[in-house]
Amino acid sequence: MSEQIQDLQLEHSKYITDLGDWTRTCSCSHLTAEDVGRDVCLMGWVQFRRDHGGLIFVDLRDREGLTQVVFSPDVAPEAHEQAGILRLEYVIAIKGRVRTRPEGMANPNLKTGEIEVVVHDWKLLNTSKTPPFAIEDRCDAGENLRLAWRFLDLRRPCMQKNLILRHRAMQAIRRFLDEDGFLEVETPFLTKSTPEGARDFLVPSRLNQGSFYALPQSPQLFKQLLMCSGFEKYFQIVRCFRDEDLRADRQPEFTQVDMELSFVNEEDVMSMAERLMQRVFKDVLGRELQLPFPRMTWDEAMRDYGVDKPDTRFGMKLVELTDAVRNSGFKLFAQAPMVKAIKVEGGESLTRKEIDAYTEFVRIYGAQGLAWIKIKSDTEWQSPIAKFLSEEERETIRTRLEAKTGDILFFQAGDPEMVNAALGNLRVHIAQKLNLIPADSFNFLWVTEFPLFEYDKEEHRYVACHHPFTSPMEGHMELMTSDPAHAKARAYDMVLNGNEVGGGSIRIHSAATQMRMFEALGFSDERAEEQFGFLFHALEFGAPPHGGIAFGLDRLIMLLAGCQSIRDVIAFPKTQKATCLLTSAPSQVSQAQLRELGIRLREAPEKKAEARADKPQA
RNA sequence: GGAACGGUAGUUAAGACGGUUAUAACGCCGGCCUGUCACGCCGGAGGCCGAGGGUUCGAGUCCCUUCCGUUCCGCCA
């Protein structure tokens, strides 16, 4: 079969010609009734072909849209006859005249549906093999196929729309920041590895064998140096690299809108960031955002939502019950470090199967189970646990959760980290399942007063929550060493519909404080000097107070475009195993290349493959 | 490092307890058709059921291993 098709394509390819002196006069989306009578030249791809024997209709597609062109034996017999060879995705140029469609033949679904172009002459600019999937929005090809044929996938109008939207957002950002006095400065991609934070992508140095560059996780240090250099307002739309596992909203290389400002405090940065978002939403979606955005401290976020990036488009807040059940006869509750609950209004109708599914869901976060109470009436509570609760406890639960007949309550008891994660994520999960999230709403939120440190159980030490250059809040300097768990940072995250879209902080600009921070993180003087000496020295020479923020551009565009994955707003994304199905990167390199770099693999790749195949079979 | 789901014509899917020649839709190829627009009608081709091994008289179906994709946990200063 494929031979047959290739023969066909080969045969057709004989008719391919160059543009010659033909010039495109307009795109495939612009012609309307006002253009009737105009002679035009369109170029594009064959989207659909409807051959009626007599008339041949072709929907011609370019990046802007579709126009129906008609090959008629009455108008141009030769052009009509030759049009028989047209197939999907053939590239053609047509010259013809715009005319209104016959009475009742307009297509209201098409922007250009009132008119058509009747072809006088046309050229075959290229043939195409039959694409492996339909080049249409409604195409339901699997993502692996789409990624392997990404250049075809990107022809689909929805993908074009996403990348056009991305472009518009980037231009809006550049315009705003330029007008606001920011300077765009590029920083190195080949830079120094710093073990704090994410895993680095390493690049071997040929001229310095045994040494490696790292690709930047972010331009953090360079932008602070630029502040020390006196540029005052910097920005960059820049690729960042982190060698960590992928998610729907995480790629190994991703784009940040990175900004840094001198002589500012939190208010200045947050206000600027809000106005930037306002501009982007105005220019890209034509939507007005109300400023300022609501704010919430990290403590409040964890208390009410269990997560540091609350989705505020719906309620169902977490309610604290730890104190109320401290002396409960129900030992599981009484002994738990934390007990919290959420209420699903009208959730009494949930089936056992649905509740079981939610129980499975919270197990992901380490929960042992999921206690629930269905409020059948004021007095009748259907629940596996209600019988363990005293009347007083019931009353507290009823009051705090404002429980009414027809509701269901879900409880979680245990370590605060687990309770918050389980209920916080269950809250969002249920809201999605039950369609409680209003469509087409954008809820921005600032989360502030983040902890300065978090305890790393593996390394048995405190590590920076944001990064080690974040300034502690006023009055929290002493806590850095005396009580690191309670030290708070001058850090802020911008949250949009439950997604972290940006984060930043006021930085440490005093060398003494920076040194203290390294002490708190358990760095020796030597190690601090070796790894961050250049920043430290810059702080010693008149560093201005400064702070900044960085936005995850891919996530922001994903939300603007209404997509579920950032892969849909990145032209050439990687799979979850960080491979590129189009180019087959990463790939093996020659021994000669490795030798030049002074690198020898511990195990030859072929041997590894063999080892896999040799594994004993059951 | 871990968990879950998926892989069957070009594509998307169906395939009851393991049992005839593995279905359907779309796409593709050929024919017909002068107003279609997801055109219509008639005909046709198209399959190593991801790969390897096992159980069995017999495997798309059961078991094991492995590869690929997706989602999530860990991880992501």
Side-chain angles (χ1 to χ4, degrees):
Chain A
M1 179 199 73
S2 62
E3 270 178 30
Q4 202 178 3
I5 289 177
Q6 276 171 14
D7 286 351
L8 190 72
Q9 195 203 343
L10 196 68
E11 187 193 319
H12 291 174
S13 69
K14 287 186 298 201
Y15 303 107
I16 295 175
T17 59
D18 288 329
L19 282 181
D21 60 353
W22 287 33
T23 313
R24 187 146 74 150
T25 59
C26 52
S27 84
C28 288
S29 76
H30 289 157
L31 296 175
T32 65
E34 289 178 19
D35 298 296
V36 168
R38 265 182 69 193
D39 286 318
V40 295
C41 175
L42 301 178
M43 298 183 191
W45 288 263
V46 173
Q47 178 72 44
F48 297 113
R49 174 198 53 154
R50 295 177 291 278
D51 185 344
H52 285 243
L55 290 174
I56 297 174
F57 298 97
V58 165
D59 287 344
L60 195 62
R61 184 192 75 239
D62 65 16
R63 133 184 148 182
E64 310 289 332
L66 293 178
T67 297
Q68 173 169 288
V69 302
V70 190
F71 298 83
S72 165
D74 304 334
V75 176
E78 199 183 344
H80 171 264
E81 193 189 327
Q82 289 165 347
I85 69 167
L86 288 176
R87 296 291 183 277
L88 294 186
E89 298 306 310
Y90 277 26
V91 188
I92 61 173
I94 66 109
K95 280 182 173 176
R97 185 162 292 170
V98 182
R99 68 182 188 192
T100 45
R101 297 193 186 186
E103 188 73 23
M105 293 301 158
N107 182 349
N109 301 321
L110 208 58
K111 200 177 157 196
T112 59
E114 281 184 51
I115 57 94
E116 62 194 7
V117 177
V118 60
V119 175
H120 295 155
D121 193 9
W122 70 280
K123 287 184 173 194
L124 181 66
L125 301 178
N126 211 343
T127 59
S128 170
K129 290 185 178 179
T130 303
F133 51 84
I135 313 296
E136 305 167 48
D137 281 355
R138 63 171 174 270
C139 146
D140 53 358
E143 197 167 5
N144 52 347
L145 200 69
R146 290 176 49 205
L147 290 177
W149 299 89
R150 189 61 160 178
F151 53 91
L152 294 178
D153 188 37
L154 291 176
R155 283 186 192 169
R156 297 160 60 222
C158 58
M159 295 304 291
Q160 299 239 321
K161 190 180 123 248
N162 288 351
L163 292 184
I164 290 168
L165 186 146
R166 186 180 175 115
H167 161 82
R168 296 214 191 295
M170 289 172 81
Q171 298 317 310
I173 290 165
R174 284 214 160 87
R175 278 194 300 273
F176 174 89
L177 292 173
D178 177 50
E179 288 166 18
D180 213 49
F182 283 80
L183 301 170
E184 188 167 7
V185 182
E186 291 150 290
T187 53
F189 274 15
L190 296 176
T191 178
K192 186 178 166 75
S193 178
T194 56
E196 288 285 291
R199 196 176 290 118
D200 282 323
F201 277 102
L202 297 177
V203 180
S205 168
R206 177 180 59 86
L207 295 175
N208 305 275
Q209 294 203 350
S211 290
F212 294 81
Y213 303 100
L215 301 178
Q217 298 176 26
S218 92
Q220 181 61 33
L221 292 167
F222 289 106
K223 69 174 176 176
Q224 288 194 240
L225 291 172
L226 288 170
M227 293 303 102
C228 296
S229 304
F231 286 99
E232 300 195 15
K233 281 177 151 187
Y234 140 95
F235 88 97
Q236 191 177 186
I237 299 180
V238 62
R239 199 68 54 82
C240 300
F241 306 85
R242 293 179 190 174
D243 189 5
E244 296 292 347
D245 286 1
L246 290 82
R247 289 283 191 281
D249 64 350
R250 267 164 38 188
Q251 283 273 309
E253 52 178 310
F254 60 99
T255 304
Q256 279 193 349
V257 182
D258 194 49
M259 288 157 277
E260 196 77 5
L261 305 81
S262 292
F263 308 113
V264 292
N265 59 26
E266 292 90 327
E267 297 302 323
D268 299 310
V269 179
M270 290 160 83
S271 154
M272 179 278 297
E274 287 178 348
R275 285 183 288 113
L276 172 60
M277 283 302 112
Q278 192 177 43
R279 176 67 170 270
V280 169
F281 272 67
K282 182 90 201 313
D283 285 9
V284 175
L285 295 184
R287 290 177 76 116
E288 291 291 345
L289 293 182
Q290 291 305 309
L291 306 188
F293 297 159
R295 294 189 190 183
M296 189 182 290
T297 65
W298 183 85
D299 284 335
E300 289 167 341
M302 296 307 289
R303 185 193 67 201
D304 295 343
Y305 297 93
V307 294
D308 61 4
K309 43 181 185 173
D311 190 335
T312 56
R313 289 176 296 174
F314 61 101
M316 249 165 81
K317 286 186 188 177
L318 278 57
V319 174
E320 174 83 54
L321 294 168
T322 315
D323 58 310
V325 296
R326 181 48 60 236
N327 299 310
S328 176
F330 188 29
K331 287 288 170 271
L332 184 71
F333 278 12
Q335 293 167 357
M338 177 181 274
V339 180
K340 280 184 166 183
I342 57 172
K343 173 188 69 180
V344 183
E345 286 183 27
E348 191 266 328
S349 57
L350 289 175
T351 63
R352 192 51 199 256
K353 204 177 158 191
E354 288 169 312
I355 294 173
D356 285 349
Y358 294 147
T359 309
E360 275 309 300
F361 178 83
V362 293
R363 283 189 205 283
I364 297 171
Y365 303 95
Q368 296 298 308
L370 181 66
W372 52 271
I373 296 174
K374 283 181 174 179
I375 315 290
K376 293 284 191 184
S377 73
D378 280 354
T379 49
E380 192 198 350
W381 286 12
Q382 183 192 337
S383 164
I385 65 159
K387 59 176 178 282
F388 300 114
L389 300 171
S390 70
E391 194 45 53
E392 190 189 347
E393 285 157 4
R394 282 168 165 246
E395 187 51 38
T396 313
I397 289 169
R398 196 192 332 268
T399 314
R400 287 204 191 161
L401 283 137
E402 297 174 23
K404 296 181 303 298
T405 300
D407 295 343
I408 188 168
L409 313 178
F410 289 109
F411 296 80
Q412 203 53 247
D415 291 329
E417 217 173 294
M418 182 282 287
V419 169
N420 281 328
L423 280 185
N425 288 294
L426 178 65
R427 173 182 170 270
V428 175
H429 181 70
I430 290 178
Q432 284 167 349
K433 286 269 178 201
L434 302 184
N435 255 320
L436 303 178
I437 304 177
D440 198 41
S441 57
F442 292 98
N443 276 32
F444 279 94
L445 175 74
W446 285 109
V447 177
T448 62
E449 299 183 27
F450 273 75
L452 193 55
F453 305 106
E454 59 192 345
Y455 193 72
D456 188 317
K457 285 174 204 149
E458 280 173 22
E459 293 198 35
H460 303 292
R461 67 177 182 103
Y462 281 94
V463 297
C465 208
H466 187 49
H467 56 55
F469 318 107
T470 303
S471 184
M473 277 176 56
E474 204 175 325
H476 286 228
M477 193 80 82
E478 291 303 321
L479 292 177
M480 282 171 68
T481 38
S482 67
D483 185 10
H486 289 98
K488 290 287 199 285
R490 296 178 72 180
Y492 31 82
D493 273 5
M494 188 188 279
V495 177
L496 172 54
N497 294 353
N499 297 274
E500 181 197 333
V501 292
S505 64
I506 300 301
R507 327 297 183 189
I508 295 168
H509 76 286
S510 126
T513 309
Q514 188 63 64
M515 186 178 280
R516 190 154 184 172
M517 171 59 86
F518 286 138
E519 274 169 34
L521 292 171
F523 279 45
S524 64
D525 289 356
E526 295 74 37
R527 190 168 154 223
E529 171 65 28
E530 195 271 320
Q531 284 179 8
F532 301 112
F534 58 99
L535 175 74
F536 192 76
H537 297 310
L539 297 182
E540 288 179 312
F541 286 86
H546 60 285
I549 190 165
F551 290 103
L553 183 73
D554 310 287
R555 276 184 204 172
L556 187 64
I557 304 300
M558 172 184 85
L559 294 167
L560 283 166
C563 296
Q564 300 297 311
S565 162
I566 59 171
R567 294 187 298 276
D568 285 336
V569 297
I570 295 172
F572 300 102
K574 305 264 189 302
T575 67
Q576 192 161 38
K577 281 195 70 187
T579 64
C580 174
L581 294 179
L582 181 62
T583 63
S584 299
S587 57
Q588 292 173 19
V589 296
S590 70
Q591 282 303 313
Q593 281 174 293
L594 290 176
R595 211 174 303 120
E596 243 179 358
L597 296 166
I599 290 177
R600 188 167 60 223
L601 298 178
R602 280 208 306 195
E603 200 179 353
E606 298 79 12
K607 282 212 167 170
K608 264 162 91 179
E610 269 175 31
R612 275 202 298 270
D614 285 350
K615 267 190 183 167
Q617 309 285 323

